[in-house]
Amino acid sequence: MTRILAVSLAACIAATGTSALAESRVPSHCIAIAGAAPGMIWQAKWGDPLPAGTVRLSYVGHSTFLIETPGGLSVATDYTGRLGPGDVVPDVVTMNHAHSSHWTSEPDERIPHVLQGWDYTGEPADHHLDLGEMLVRNVPTDIRGFDGTVEPAGNSIFVFEAAGLCIGHLGHLHHEPTPEQYAALGRLDVVMAPVDGGMTLDLPTMIKVLKRLRSSIVLPMHWFGPENLARFLSGMEEDFVIEIRRESAVEVTLATLPSRPTVIAVAPRPLE
């Protein structure tokens, strides 16, 4: 596993319109367990048109993914102000303020919707953004301060419902969700999970969370290097299928979710 991972990563790591606002959203099944069928669609280039019912997730780097819908909506997660050399202006960006690699104080003014995962007032952030084709909502969680204190509701798990899929981004998760938070998340078909093993959750707890969620697809992020990623994959391989891909993006449909829970490690790549 480690040798394959190292080879794969060594080889790999090196403006959307607003017409989609009028699109209707296929309801997701966040609160229901859906039957899954084997198979998956792969495509490594962001910006290309998508077939109906398909969502593309491109791993930009660290905790940033670009999520795209068939109608042309795009969302950048844990947005830091730059997605790569391309002039990409997402419809929505989400941010968490654990530190500067998860947010920016100066987002591009052309972005219509900038969603902070925390509230400067100290109250939990509360987002429920319905864009027609996509619904964006959040579940607040606590974060640890650098001095060992706890900041209530300093992080948000953002959930994106589109094309019948329920997609979650755990952000800078510092504790296992409470029963109430698990319930608010619902059934996540795809989850983007930080797997560094220390700055966020320790690996045993993160693996416990992912086994509890039992999403059809887990996309590792925030792993810093091949060794950290290999440790995470080793801890997951007993219960999850492991796929290591050269591509930076994956395309998913509700009908082609894998029949067994699968971890898919894709290579980070800035958008060009």
Side-chain angles (χ1 to χ4, degrees), residues 123-267:
E123 295 296 318
D126 183 14
H127 299 293
H128 192 92
L129 178 63
D130 192 337
L131 296 173
E133 193 188 19
M134 176 186 284
L135 173 68
V136 183
R137 59 185 177 88
N138 73 305
V139 177
T141 65
D142 301 340
I143 61 172
R144 300 183 304 268
F146 289 108
D147 57 357
T149 60
V150 173
E151 180 180 346
N155 176 71
S156 278
I157 299 172
F158 280 95
V159 179
F160 312 92
E161 299 183 37
L165 294 160
C166 196
I167 300 168
H169 185 283
L170 298 184
H172 214 272
L173 187 63
H174 286 184
H175 63 85
E176 181 178 5
T178 64
E180 293 78 13
Q181 289 165 339
Y182 275 123
L185 289 174
R187 163 66 182 180
L188 300 179
D189 298 299
V190 181
V191 62
M192 293 158 273
V195 301
D196 57 277
M199 295 188 70
T200 56
L201 272 180
D202 61 276
L203 277 185
T205 305
M206 178 56 72
I207 290 171
K208 177 183 176 183
V209 168
L210 295 173
K211 288 181 178 180
R212 167 74 180 267
L213 291 172
R214 202 161 179 80
S215 300
S216 296
I217 298 174
V218 176
L219 297 173
M221 64 179 186
H222 206 262
W223 38 264
F224 294 105
E227 291 185 0
N228 275 348
L229 182 56
R231 280 192 290 270
F232 168 72
L233 296 179
S234 177
M236 293 286 282
E237 61 186 358
E238 183 175 345
D239 298 284
F240 287 71
V241 175
I242 305 298
E243 298 282 350
I244 300 170
R245 299 286 175 170
R246 293 177 180 271
E247 295 90 350
S248 62
V250 58
E251 292 183 4
V252 185
T253 72
L254 184 61
T256 59
L257 290 171
S259 58
R260 286 188 58 196
T262 301
V263 178
I264 303 175
V266 292

